[in-house]
Amino acid sequence: MRPIRTGLIGCGKVGQIHAAALRSLPESEFVAACDRSLERAQSLGVAAYTDVPQMLRESGVEAVCLCTPHPLHAESAIAAAQAGVHVLIEKPMAANLADCDAMLAAAKASGITLGVVSQRRLFEPVLRMKAAIDAGKIGRPVLGTMIMLSWRDEAYYASDPWRGKWSTEGGGVLVNQSPHQLDILQWLMGPIEEISGAWGNLNHPYIDVEDTAVATIRFQSGGLGSIVTSLSQRPGIYTKVHIHGSNGASVGVQTDTGATFVAGMSGIAEPPLNDLWTIPGEEHLLTQWEAEDRARFREIDATHHYHRLQIQDFLQAIQQGRTPLVTGAEGRIVVQMFSAIYESSREHRAIRLH
Ligand SMILES: NC(=O)c1ccc[n+]([C@@H]2O[C@H](COP(=O)([O-])OP(=O)(O)OC[C@H]3O[C@@H](n4cnc5c(N)ncnc54)[C@H](O)[C@@H]3O)[C@@H](O)[C@H]2O)c1
């Protein structure tokens, strides 16, 4: 099958990871890059633009990766959809639900494929959890927990003017660092009925947004969940998602060790690992999987590898006329989750998701 003519919008930190994948994947012919900074766009060695509509009109791109700050995603995604160009949007899909709905409507009207990045879904330990749950090995998933104890310092927030402010980032740890695990939690636990939450800024006086949030979830299945997510532990401890089943068995992943990586500033230093597995008869697999996962980690560049896999899935979805691994509807659920926590904190009540 012939490669898809691809482009990149937003050539900053995570944009570099997308560019590397678009340049090397057999499904991609990387032809254009767009950034407000012409120099950044030009540095990628393809046709360079500073204006998204012009790139869509003139470059002949058929699919784009969208790597601008999230409050700006909707404008470029809608322009791409209206030009008939498929779009893979970096997480979070947007900073609010109105933007998600406008993007989904534009994609539906033009029939393009819209996907959202959530590359940690492709971590082998997460795929093992998904397979075990789908196979019914924990009965029904009835309790899900996500805990992120991470760290960001003042230099991180100073690195780009849009970080740490409600108007230009749309939120803090919930919006920027947590979408990966919020997505894994909803992917493994199923549809959410309602969320109660609260947030605070515990030790980052130089930012407006929250560095910490907690929440409880009631799932439509009757299952329960909890979220503790924070950037206030120096130097960062771990991030985990654990799922407990109706038959008493549990599966879990430590997605990140220490602080979560910062694209363009740091890389993934330790492999993601299953840290909990009590399915009867399978307990011994933990040690075997750890050895396998550590061996794989030595062979791949994990900071690039899982992005590359998801971008490849997206391009193959276009070629095969199927839905991508993470759809726009699922990207919207994550935005619903953090929006509900903000609303619940403001109104001191549980928020129903619909
Ligand atoms: N999946 C991941 O692991 C991951 C990691 C890092 C960032 N991200 C997400 O990627 C997005 C970008 O983050 P980043 O850290 O790369 O930010 P960044 O500030 O380093 O890069 C953003 C780039 O977009 C450009 N830009 C802004 N508005 C534009 C416009 N209208 N047209 C063209 N270019 C424009 C900026 O000039 C900049 O180069 C965010 O939504 C973030 O949450 C995801």
Side-chain angles (χ1 to χ4, degrees):
M1 202 169 276
R2 86 172 168 82
I4 294 169
R5 289 170 63 86
T6 57
L8 175 67
I9 302 174
C11 310
K13 297 186 188 65
V14 85
Q16 302 301 317
I17 296 178
H18 284 254
L22 293 177
R23 207 179 279 125
S24 63
L25 281 168
E27 293 83 359
S28 162
E29 180 189 353
F30 186 29
V31 295
C34 179
D35 197 286
R36 277 183 182 162
S37 150
L38 183 61
E39 204 184 336
R40 279 191 186 178
Q42 282 175 333
S43 73
L44 296 176
V46 290
Y49 299 85
T50 54
D51 181 59
V52 173
Q54 189 190 359
M55 174 178 119
L56 294 168
R57 246 187 350 261
E58 296 178 4
S59 68
V61 285
E62 297 166 292
V64 289
C65 290
L66 181 48
C67 299
T68 57
H70 23 280
L72 305 176
H73 287 171
E75 188 183 343
S76 296
I78 292 167
Q82 288 172 346
V85 171
H86 308 285
V87 58
L88 178 62
I89 306 169
E90 258 300 348
K91 51 56 48 181
M93 183 175 176
N96 61 62
L97 285 172
D99 278 3
C100 294
D101 291 338
M103 287 188 269
L104 289 170
K108 192 173 175 199
S110 69
I112 56 123
T113 300
L114 187 152
V116 177
V117 174
S118 187
Q119 81 275 7
R120 281 172 176 79
R121 272 199 198 186
L122 288 155
F123 285 177
E124 289 76 8
V126 174
L127 293 173
R128 284 186 200 114
M129 292 166 72
K130 175 71 173 153
I133 292 168
D134 286 351
K137 291 184 177 179
I138 67 168
R140 287 179 302 106
V142 291
L143 179 64
T145 66
M146 163 202 163
I147 180 157
M148 174 184 287
L149 301 171
S150 188
W151 173 247
R152 289 290 184 269
D153 62 11
E154 192 165 3
Y156 165 80
Y157 290 104
S159 69
D160 295 294
W162 61 271
R163 297 185 194 277
K165 303 181 185 79
W166 289 104
S167 58
T168 48
E169 186 163 2
V173 64
L174 280 169
V175 169
N176 194 324
Q177 285 76 25
S178 310
H180 298 277
Q181 288 76 19
L182 295 178
D183 176 59
I184 292 170
L185 191 61
Q186 72 82 25
W187 193 42
L188 299 181
M189 286 295 294
I192 293 168
E193 178 83 28
E194 63 175 30
I195 298 189
S196 308
W199 59 265
N201 184 324
L202 305 186
N203 59 10
H204 289 79
Y206 39 82
I207 61 170
D208 305 338
V209 294
E210 86 284 358
D211 63 14
T212 301
V214 296
T216 58
I217 304 176
R218 184 178 293 280
F219 292 89
Q220 286 177 17
S221 64
L224 299 173
S226 82
I227 295 168
V228 173
T229 187
S230 184
L231 296 174
S232 301
Q233 293 70 45
R234 183 167 45 205
I237 305 171
Y238 54 64
T239 304
K240 298 176 180 229
V241 179
H242 287 176
I243 308 291
H244 310 277
S246 55
N247 67 0
S250 304
V251 293
V253 62
Q254 178 161 317
T255 57
D256 301 74
T257 303
T260 58
F261 84 101
V262 183
M265 294 170 96
S266 63
I268 302 176
E270 287 285 328
L273 295 173
N274 290 115
D275 65 334
L276 175 68
W277 203 272
T278 62
I279 294 170
E282 295 191 358
E283 300 88 341
H284 65 286
L285 291 172
L286 269 186
T287 347
Q288 180 190 319
W289 287 338
E290 177 166 350
E292 281 173 27
D293 292 345
R294 286 192 184 282
R296 181 185 315 97
F297 187 76
R298 284 192 291 274
E299 281 162 23
I300 60 171
D301 175 349
T303 310
H304 282 262
H305 178 74
Y306 297 98
H307 259 99
R308 188 180 144 88
L309 286 181
Q310 192 175 354
I311 295 166
Q312 183 169 43
D313 166 81
F314 180 71
L315 296 175
Q316 289 180 351
I318 296 167
Q319 290 175 331
Q320 296 163 9
R322 61 167 170 84
T323 52
L325 173 70
V326 186
T327 62
E330 289 174 290
R332 184 185 187 278
I333 294 172
V334 169
V335 179
Q336 256 187 318
M337 291 170 81
F338 64 64
S339 301
I341 296 171
Y342 291 135
E343 193 180 344
S344 168
S345 188
R346 206 165 48 238
E347 300 190 2
H348 303 286
R349 63 179 177 90
I351 305 299
R352 289 180 72 82
L353 269 62
H354 28 249

